[in-house]
Amino acid sequence: MLKYKRILLKLSGEALAGKKEFGFSDEVLESFARQIKEVHDKRVEIAIVIGGGNIFRGATGTSKGVDRVTGDTMGMLATIMNGLALQNAIEHFDIPTRVLTAVQMPQVAEPFIRRRAIRHLEKGRVVIFAGGTGNPYFTTDSSGALRALEINADILAKGTKVDGIYDKDPMKNKNAVKYETVTYDEAISKNLGVMDTAALSLCKENKMPIIVFNALEEGNILKMVEGEKIGTLVVD
Ligand code: UDP
């Protein structure tokens, strides 16, 4: 049984690097693609927002002397490279996939047009939203929230390297406790570090449920759409 029929899957760029600090891991790309196929086979409509942290982040760039807007633009371009890499991996499984970008690049990818994105989904194509929101000072979490609302997704599913939301950073604290459910307000006020506040606020205002789960564990995307208890759910 499917709990969610149309999902916005936010995949962090960082996860694409796998064990490396930078670039792509072929194993991760293949694992994501295989998991997406599994869910696509169940006729779930899948839209993906891909991050860029495995290549460049504007905020990190500023510490190295790159001005913020330039750095953010570089970050957005990184998401387009990731989008193409992911498209390529998914197409190896014979699934029609379209990359739609918020930063115009007509030779490379379609421009983001909301109605076209929805049409692709209805036709069973996997849609990858690249280029973030097209604006600096945002993150791809915000693009995820925005696109989830624009396509009327049932859920914003954030697939990362950690298996949910913890009260403390689980990488640094052995006694960190995982939440099964958390409210938007708690996630914002306790600064739980799952998503930036802009993305959380947008979801809260528009009642878009969020699930945070480990997408690197094979089979988890399917478990998530079938409503199995994995990760952490953020709700009202
Ligand atoms: N970015 C941006 N506007 C957006 C989305 C992304 O300027 O709407 C830039 C920003 O510099 C960000 C980078 O692109 O740091 C890569 O995205 P993100 O850090 O969200 O990637 P992830 O954490 O998912 O790997």
Side-chain angles (χ1 to χ4, degrees), residues 52-84:
N54 57 324
I55 301 172
F56 202 84
R57 281 207 173 91
T60 320
T62 46
S63 62
K64 294 178 187 145
V66 181
D67 87 63
R68 179 64 193 260
V69 176
T70 305
D72 280 342
T73 308
M74 291 164 73
M76 287 187 275
L77 292 175
T79 71
I80 300 177
M81 283 178 67
N82 284 341
L84 295 175

PDB file of all heavy atoms in Angstrom, residues 52-84:
ATOM      1  N   GLY A  52      23.821  20.642  -3.907  1.00  0.00           N
ATOM      2  CA  GLY A  52      25.095  20.866  -4.594  1.00  0.00           C
ATOM      3  C   GLY A  52      26.296  20.825  -3.670  1.00  0.00           C
ATOM      4  O   GLY A  52      27.420  21.068  -4.088  1.00  0.00           O
ATOM      5  N   GLY A  53      26.036  20.485  -2.409  1.00  0.00           N
ATOM      6  CA  GLY A  53      27.083  20.542  -1.376  1.00  0.00           C
ATOM      7  C   GLY A  53      28.297  19.670  -1.636  1.00  0.00           C
ATOM      8  O   GLY A  53      29.351  19.915  -1.038  1.00  0.00           O
ATOM      9  N   ASN A  54      28.189  18.688  -2.501  1.00  0.00           N
ATOM     10  CA  ASN A  54      29.354  17.851  -2.838  1.00  0.00           C
ATOM     11  C   ASN A  54      30.328  18.571  -3.757  1.00  0.00           C
ATOM     12  O   ASN A  54      31.434  18.099  -3.995  1.00  0.00           O
ATOM     13  CB  ASN A  54      28.892  16.549  -3.523  1.00  0.00           C
ATOM     14  CG  ASN A  54      28.060  16.813  -4.757  1.00  0.00           C
ATOM     15  OD1 ASN A  54      27.292  17.768  -4.786  1.00  0.00           O
ATOM     16  ND2 ASN A  54      28.200  16.009  -5.783  1.00  0.00           N
ATOM     17  N   ILE A  55      29.876  19.727  -4.286  1.00  0.00           N
ATOM     18  CA  ILE A  55      30.745  20.476  -5.202  1.00  0.00           C
ATOM     19  C   ILE A  55      31.043  21.879  -4.645  1.00  0.00           C
ATOM     20  O   ILE A  55      32.199  22.267  -4.499  1.00  0.00           O
ATOM     21  CB  ILE A  55      30.113  20.575  -6.612  1.00  0.00           C
ATOM     22  CG1 ILE A  55      29.882  19.169  -7.176  1.00  0.00           C
ATOM     23  CG2 ILE A  55      31.004  21.401  -7.551  1.00  0.00           C
ATOM     24  CD1 ILE A  55      29.104  19.118  -8.472  1.00  0.00           C
ATOM     25  N   PHE A  56      29.992  22.623  -4.342  1.00  0.00           N
ATOM     26  CA  PHE A  56      30.225  23.990  -3.860  1.00  0.00           C
ATOM     27  C   PHE A  56      29.038  24.528  -3.066  1.00  0.00           C
ATOM     28  O   PHE A  56      27.889  24.296  -3.435  1.00  0.00           O
ATOM     29  CB  PHE A  56      30.497  24.938  -5.044  1.00  0.00           C
ATOM     30  CG  PHE A  56      31.242  26.174  -4.652  1.00  0.00           C
ATOM     31  CD1 PHE A  56      32.631  26.155  -4.563  1.00  0.00           C
ATOM     32  CD2 PHE A  56      30.566  27.344  -4.340  1.00  0.00           C
ATOM     33  CE1 PHE A  56      33.330  27.301  -4.178  1.00  0.00           C
ATOM     34  CE2 PHE A  56      31.258  28.495  -3.959  1.00  0.00           C
ATOM     35  CZ  PHE A  56      32.645  28.467  -3.881  1.00  0.00           C
ATOM     36  N   ARG A  57      29.358  25.223  -1.999  1.00  0.00           N
ATOM     37  CA  ARG A  57      28.351  25.927  -1.198  1.00  0.00           C
ATOM     38  C   ARG A  57      28.740  27.384  -1.080  1.00  0.00           C
ATOM     39  O   ARG A  57      29.889  27.679  -0.727  1.00  0.00           O
ATOM     40  CB  ARG A  57      28.273  25.353   0.219  1.00  0.00           C
ATOM     41  CG  ARG A  57      27.495  24.082   0.331  1.00  0.00           C
ATOM     42  CD  ARG A  57      26.913  23.942   1.747  1.00  0.00           C
ATOM     43  NE  ARG A  57      26.045  22.796   1.780  1.00  0.00           N
ATOM     44  CZ  ARG A  57      26.460  21.572   2.110  1.00  0.00           C
ATOM     45  NH1 ARG A  57      27.699  21.376   2.449  1.00  0.00           N
ATOM     46  NH2 ARG A  57      25.603  20.583   2.103  1.00  0.00           N
ATOM     47  N   GLY A  58      27.800  28.268  -1.350  1.00  0.00           N
ATOM     48  CA  GLY A  58      28.074  29.702  -1.297  1.00  0.00           C
ATOM     49  C   GLY A  58      28.625  30.139   0.044  1.00  0.00           C
ATOM     50  O   GLY A  58      29.610  30.874   0.123  1.00  0.00           O
ATOM     51  N   ALA A  59      27.980  29.648   1.121  1.00  0.00           N
ATOM     52  CA  ALA A  59      28.369  30.085   2.467  1.00  0.00           C
ATOM     53  C   ALA A  59      29.806  29.659   2.788  1.00  0.00           C
ATOM     54  O   ALA A  59      30.538  30.391   3.454  1.00  0.00           O
ATOM     55  CB  ALA A  59      27.402  29.526   3.494  1.00  0.00           C
ATOM     56  N   THR A  60      30.207  28.492   2.303  1.00  0.00           N
ATOM     57  CA  THR A  60      31.583  28.031   2.549  1.00  0.00           C
ATOM     58  C   THR A  60      32.552  28.865   1.718  1.00  0.00           C
ATOM     59  O   THR A  60      33.659  29.189   2.159  1.00  0.00           O
ATOM     60  CB  THR A  60      31.738  26.536   2.152  1.00  0.00           C
ATOM     61  OG1 THR A  60      30.565  25.851   2.557  1.00  0.00           O
ATOM     62  CG2 THR A  60      32.938  25.904   2.785  1.00  0.00           C
ATOM     63  N   GLY A  61      32.117  29.206   0.511  1.00  0.00           N
ATOM     64  CA  GLY A  61      32.964  29.981  -0.392  1.00  0.00           C
ATOM     65  C   GLY A  61      33.355  31.328   0.182  1.00  0.00           C
ATOM     66  O   GLY A  61      34.486  31.790  -0.011  1.00  0.00           O
ATOM     67  N   THR A  62      32.427  31.947   0.940  1.00  0.00           N
ATOM     68  CA  THR A  62      32.710  33.291   1.473  1.00  0.00           C
ATOM     69  C   THR A  62      33.928  33.262   2.395  1.00  0.00           C
ATOM     70  O   THR A  62      34.705  34.206   2.438  1.00  0.00           O
ATOM     71  CB  THR A  62      31.505  33.872   2.252  1.00  0.00           C
ATOM     72  OG1 THR A  62      30.996  32.867   3.115  1.00  0.00           O
ATOM     73  CG2 THR A  62      30.419  34.363   1.335  1.00  0.00           C
ATOM     74  N   SER A  63      34.089  32.135   3.119  1.00  0.00           N
ATOM     75  CA  SER A  63      35.247  32.057   4.024  1.00  0.00           C
ATOM     76  C   SER A  63      36.556  31.966   3.234  1.00  0.00           C
ATOM     77  O   SER A  63      37.639  32.153   3.778  1.00  0.00           O
ATOM     78  CB  SER A  63      35.102  30.846   4.952  1.00  0.00           C
ATOM     79  OG  SER A  63      35.085  29.669   4.176  1.00  0.00           O
ATOM     80  N   LYS A  64      36.438  31.671   1.938  1.00  0.00           N
ATOM     81  CA  LYS A  64      37.659  31.608   1.123  1.00  0.00           C
ATOM     82  C   LYS A  64      37.775  32.817   0.199  1.00  0.00           C
ATOM     83  O   LYS A  64      38.514  32.804  -0.781  1.00  0.00           O
ATOM     84  CB  LYS A  64      37.649  30.326   0.284  1.00  0.00           C
ATOM     85  CG  LYS A  64      37.730  29.080   1.138  1.00  0.00           C
ATOM     86  CD  LYS A  64      37.658  27.833   0.277  1.00  0.00           C
ATOM     87  CE  LYS A  64      37.575  26.599   1.148  1.00  0.00           C
ATOM     88  NZ  LYS A  64      36.753  25.555   0.594  1.00  0.00           N
ATOM     89  N   GLY A  65      36.954  33.823   0.483  1.00  0.00           N
ATOM     90  CA  GLY A  65      37.060  35.072  -0.258  1.00  0.00           C
ATOM     91  C   GLY A  65      36.179  35.181  -1.495  1.00  0.00           C
ATOM     92  O   GLY A  65      36.299  36.135  -2.261  1.00  0.00           O
ATOM     93  N   VAL A  66      35.286  34.212  -1.709  1.00  0.00           N
ATOM     94  CA  VAL A  66      34.349  34.323  -2.843  1.00  0.00           C
ATOM     95  C   VAL A  66      33.134  35.102  -2.345  1.00  0.00           C
ATOM     96  O   VAL A  66      32.591  34.773  -1.286  1.00  0.00           O
ATOM     97  CB  VAL A  66      33.875  32.916  -3.300  1.00  0.00           C
ATOM     98  CG1 VAL A  66      32.926  33.034  -4.483  1.00  0.00           C
ATOM     99  CG2 VAL A  66      35.067  32.024  -3.642  1.00  0.00           C
ATOM    100  N   ASP A  67      32.720  36.133  -3.063  1.00  0.00           N
ATOM    101  CA  ASP A  67      31.575  36.878  -2.547  1.00  0.00           C
ATOM    102  C   ASP A  67      30.317  36.014  -2.582  1.00  0.00           C
ATOM    103  O   ASP A  67      30.200  35.097  -3.384  1.00  0.00           O
ATOM    104  CB  ASP A  67      31.408  38.251  -3.223  1.00  0.00           C
ATOM    105  CG  ASP A  67      30.580  38.213  -4.494  1.00  0.00           C
ATOM    106  OD1 ASP A  67      29.385  37.873  -4.459  1.00  0.00           O
ATOM    107  OD2 ASP A  67      31.161  38.523  -5.533  1.00  0.00           O
ATOM    108  N   ARG A  68      29.409  36.299  -1.655  1.00  0.00           N
ATOM    109  CA  ARG A  68      28.294  35.386  -1.381  1.00  0.00           C
ATOM    110  C   ARG A  68      27.430  35.096  -2.619  1.00  0.00           C
ATOM    111  O   ARG A  68      27.090  33.951  -2.911  1.00  0.00           O
ATOM    112  CB  ARG A  68      27.442  35.971  -0.238  1.00  0.00           C
ATOM    113  CG  ARG A  68      26.231  35.147   0.143  1.00  0.00           C
ATOM    114  CD  ARG A  68      26.648  33.779   0.688  1.00  0.00           C
ATOM    115  NE  ARG A  68      25.516  32.878   0.761  1.00  0.00           N
ATOM    116  CZ  ARG A  68      24.832  32.602   1.864  1.00  0.00           C
ATOM    117  NH1 ARG A  68      25.183  33.148   3.000  1.00  0.00           N
ATOM    118  NH2 ARG A  68      23.811  31.778   1.833  1.00  0.00           N
ATOM    119  N   VAL A  69      27.103  36.170  -3.347  1.00  0.00           N
ATOM    120  CA  VAL A  69      26.206  35.956  -4.485  1.00  0.00           C
ATOM    121  C   VAL A  69      26.899  35.118  -5.567  1.00  0.00           C
ATOM    122  O   VAL A  69      26.306  34.214  -6.152  1.00  0.00           O
ATOM    123  CB  VAL A  69      25.693  37.310  -5.043  1.00  0.00           C
ATOM    124  CG1 VAL A  69      24.838  37.101  -6.270  1.00  0.00           C
ATOM    125  CG2 VAL A  69      24.907  38.053  -3.965  1.00  0.00           C
ATOM    126  N   THR A  70      28.169  35.411  -5.805  1.00  0.00           N
ATOM    127  CA  THR A  70      28.924  34.599  -6.772  1.00  0.00           C
ATOM    128  C   THR A  70      29.002  33.153  -6.300  1.00  0.00           C
ATOM    129  O   THR A  70      28.777  32.213  -7.077  1.00  0.00           O
ATOM    130  CB  THR A  70      30.359  35.160  -6.949  1.00  0.00           C
ATOM    131  OG1 THR A  70      30.248  36.532  -7.306  1.00  0.00           O
ATOM    132  CG2 THR A  70      31.138  34.412  -8.020  1.00  0.00           C
ATOM    133  N   GLY A  71      29.288  32.972  -5.018  1.00  0.00           N
ATOM    134  CA  GLY A  71      29.390  31.631  -4.455  1.00  0.00           C
ATOM    135  C   GLY A  71      28.075  30.876  -4.571  1.00  0.00           C
ATOM    136  O   GLY A  71      28.056  29.691  -4.928  1.00  0.00           O
ATOM    137  N   ASP A  72      26.980  31.563  -4.280  1.00  0.00           N
ATOM    138  CA  ASP A  72      25.675  30.912  -4.387  1.00  0.00           C
ATOM    139  C   ASP A  72      25.374  30.524  -5.834  1.00  0.00           C
ATOM    140  O   ASP A  72      24.797  29.476  -6.106  1.00  0.00           O
ATOM    141  CB  ASP A  72      24.578  31.839  -3.842  1.00  0.00           C
ATOM    142  CG  ASP A  72      24.518  31.797  -2.316  1.00  0.00           C
ATOM    143  OD1 ASP A  72      25.044  30.843  -1.725  1.00  0.00           O
ATOM    144  OD2 ASP A  72      23.934  32.724  -1.727  1.00  0.00           O
ATOM    145  N   THR A  73      25.783  31.394  -6.759  1.00  0.00           N
ATOM    146  CA  THR A  73      25.587  31.067  -8.176  1.00  0.00           C
ATOM    147  C   THR A  73      26.386  29.822  -8.533  1.00  0.00           C
ATOM    148  O   THR A  73      25.890  28.929  -9.235  1.00  0.00           O
ATOM    149  CB  THR A  73      26.020  32.261  -9.068  1.00  0.00           C
ATOM    150  OG1 THR A  73      25.355  33.424  -8.601  1.00  0.00           O
ATOM    151  CG2 THR A  73      25.676  32.027 -10.524  1.00  0.00           C
ATOM    152  N   MET A  74      27.605  29.734  -8.016  1.00  0.00           N
ATOM    153  CA  MET A  74      28.419  28.533  -8.252  1.00  0.00           C
ATOM    154  C   MET A  74      27.723  27.307  -7.655  1.00  0.00           C
ATOM    155  O   MET A  74      27.694  26.231  -8.259  1.00  0.00           O
ATOM    156  CB  MET A  74      29.821  28.710  -7.653  1.00  0.00           C
ATOM    157  CG  MET A  74      30.656  29.744  -8.407  1.00  0.00           C
ATOM    158  SD  MET A  74      32.096  30.316  -7.481  1.00  0.00           S
ATOM    159  CE  MET A  74      33.157  28.899  -7.579  1.00  0.00           C
ATOM    160  N   GLY A  75      27.142  27.478  -6.475  1.00  0.00           N
ATOM    161  CA  GLY A  75      26.398  26.385  -5.838  1.00  0.00           C
ATOM    162  C   GLY A  75      25.220  25.938  -6.684  1.00  0.00           C
ATOM    163  O   GLY A  75      24.971  24.738  -6.864  1.00  0.00           O
ATOM    164  N   MET A  76      24.515  26.901  -7.237  1.00  0.00           N
ATOM    165  CA  MET A  76      23.348  26.560  -8.077  1.00  0.00           C
ATOM    166  C   MET A  76      23.792  25.818  -9.335  1.00  0.00           C
ATOM    167  O   MET A  76      23.141  24.880  -9.783  1.00  0.00           O
ATOM    168  CB  MET A  76      22.554  27.826  -8.421  1.00  0.00           C
ATOM    169  CG  MET A  76      21.772  28.355  -7.228  1.00  0.00           C
ATOM    170  SD  MET A  76      20.671  29.703  -7.620  1.00  0.00           S
ATOM    171  CE  MET A  76      21.731  31.109  -7.528  1.00  0.00           C
ATOM    172  N   LEU A  77      24.926  26.251  -9.893  1.00  0.00           N
ATOM    173  CA  LEU A  77      25.450  25.537 -11.073  1.00  0.00           C
ATOM    174  C   LEU A  77      25.851  24.110 -10.691  1.00  0.00           C
ATOM    175  O   LEU A  77      25.675  23.177 -11.480  1.00  0.00           O
ATOM    176  CB  LEU A  77      26.641  26.302 -11.667  1.00  0.00           C
ATOM    177  CG  LEU A  77      26.287  27.649 -12.306  1.00  0.00           C
ATOM    178  CD1 LEU A  77      27.551  28.380 -12.750  1.00  0.00           C
ATOM    179  CD2 LEU A  77      25.346  27.486 -13.492  1.00  0.00           C
ATOM    180  N   ALA A  78      26.362  23.956  -9.474  1.00  0.00           N
ATOM    181  CA  ALA A  78      26.733  22.608  -9.001  1.00  0.00           C
ATOM    182  C   ALA A  78      25.504  21.693  -9.000  1.00  0.00           C
ATOM    183  O   ALA A  78      25.597  20.521  -9.367  1.00  0.00           O
ATOM    184  CB  ALA A  78      27.333  22.695  -7.602  1.00  0.00           C
ATOM    185  N   THR A  79      24.365  22.235  -8.620  1.00  0.00           N
ATOM    186  CA  THR A  79      23.158  21.391  -8.573  1.00  0.00           C
ATOM    187  C   THR A  79      22.758  20.932  -9.977  1.00  0.00           C
ATOM    188  O   THR A  79      22.146  19.881 -10.137  1.00  0.00           O
ATOM    189  CB  THR A  79      21.957  22.102  -7.912  1.00  0.00           C
ATOM    190  OG1 THR A  79      21.481  23.126  -8.770  1.00  0.00           O
ATOM    191  CG2 THR A  79      22.302  22.679  -6.555  1.00  0.00           C
ATOM    192  N   ILE A  80      23.113  21.723 -10.987  1.00  0.00           N
ATOM    193  CA  ILE A  80      22.775  21.313 -12.360  1.00  0.00           C
ATOM    194  C   ILE A  80      23.660  20.143 -12.769  1.00  0.00           C
ATOM    195  O   ILE A  80      23.183  19.168 -13.362  1.00  0.00           O
ATOM    196  CB  ILE A  80      22.894  22.505 -13.341  1.00  0.00           C
ATOM    197  CG1 ILE A  80      21.917  23.617 -12.910  1.00  0.00           C
ATOM    198  CG2 ILE A  80      22.582  22.048 -14.775  1.00  0.00           C
ATOM    199  CD1 ILE A  80      21.968  24.871 -13.741  1.00  0.00           C
ATOM    200  N   MET A  81      24.935  20.199 -12.425  1.00  0.00           N
ATOM    201  CA  MET A  81      25.815  19.049 -12.697  1.00  0.00           C
ATOM    202  C   MET A  81      25.283  17.803 -12.002  1.00  0.00           C
ATOM    203  O   MET A  81      25.220  16.722 -12.583  1.00  0.00           O
ATOM    204  CB  MET A  81      27.238  19.345 -12.213  1.00  0.00           C
ATOM    205  CG  MET A  81      27.980  20.265 -13.141  1.00  0.00           C
ATOM    206  SD  MET A  81      29.623  20.651 -12.544  1.00  0.00           S
ATOM    207  CE  MET A  81      30.419  19.090 -12.679  1.00  0.00           C
ATOM    208  N   ASN A  82      24.891  17.967 -10.744  1.00  0.00           N
ATOM    209  CA  ASN A  82      24.348  16.826  -9.999  1.00  0.00           C
ATOM    210  C   ASN A  82      23.061  16.303 -10.632  1.00  0.00           C
ATOM    211  O   ASN A  82      22.836  15.099 -10.701  1.00  0.00           O
ATOM    212  CB  ASN A  82      24.059  17.233  -8.549  1.00  0.00           C
ATOM    213  CG  ASN A  82      25.321  17.331  -7.725  1.00  0.00           C
ATOM    214  OD1 ASN A  82      26.344  16.782  -8.096  1.00  0.00           O
ATOM    215  ND2 ASN A  82      25.247  18.021  -6.605  1.00  0.00           N
ATOM    216  N   GLY A  83      22.244  17.233 -11.105  1.00  0.00           N
ATOM    217  CA  GLY A  83      20.977  16.840 -11.746  1.00  0.00           C
ATOM    218  C   GLY A  83      21.234  15.990 -12.979  1.00  0.00           C
ATOM    219  O   GLY A  83      20.577  14.966 -13.206  1.00  0.00           O
ATOM    220  N   LEU A  84      22.231  16.410 -13.761  1.00  0.00           N
ATOM    221  CA  LEU A  84      22.552  15.652 -14.983  1.00  0.00           C
ATOM    222  C   LEU A  84      23.123  14.279 -14.630  1.00  0.00           C
ATOM    223  O   LEU A  84      22.793  13.276 -15.269  1.00  0.00           O
ATOM    224  CB  LEU A  84      23.548  16.443 -15.840  1.00  0.00           C
ATOM    225  CG  LEU A  84      23.011  17.767 -16.408  1.00  0.00           C
ATOM    226  CD1 LEU A  84      24.127  18.521 -17.132  1.00  0.00           C
ATOM    227  CD2 LEU A  84      21.824  17.553 -17.335  1.00  0.00           C
TER     228      LEU A  84
END
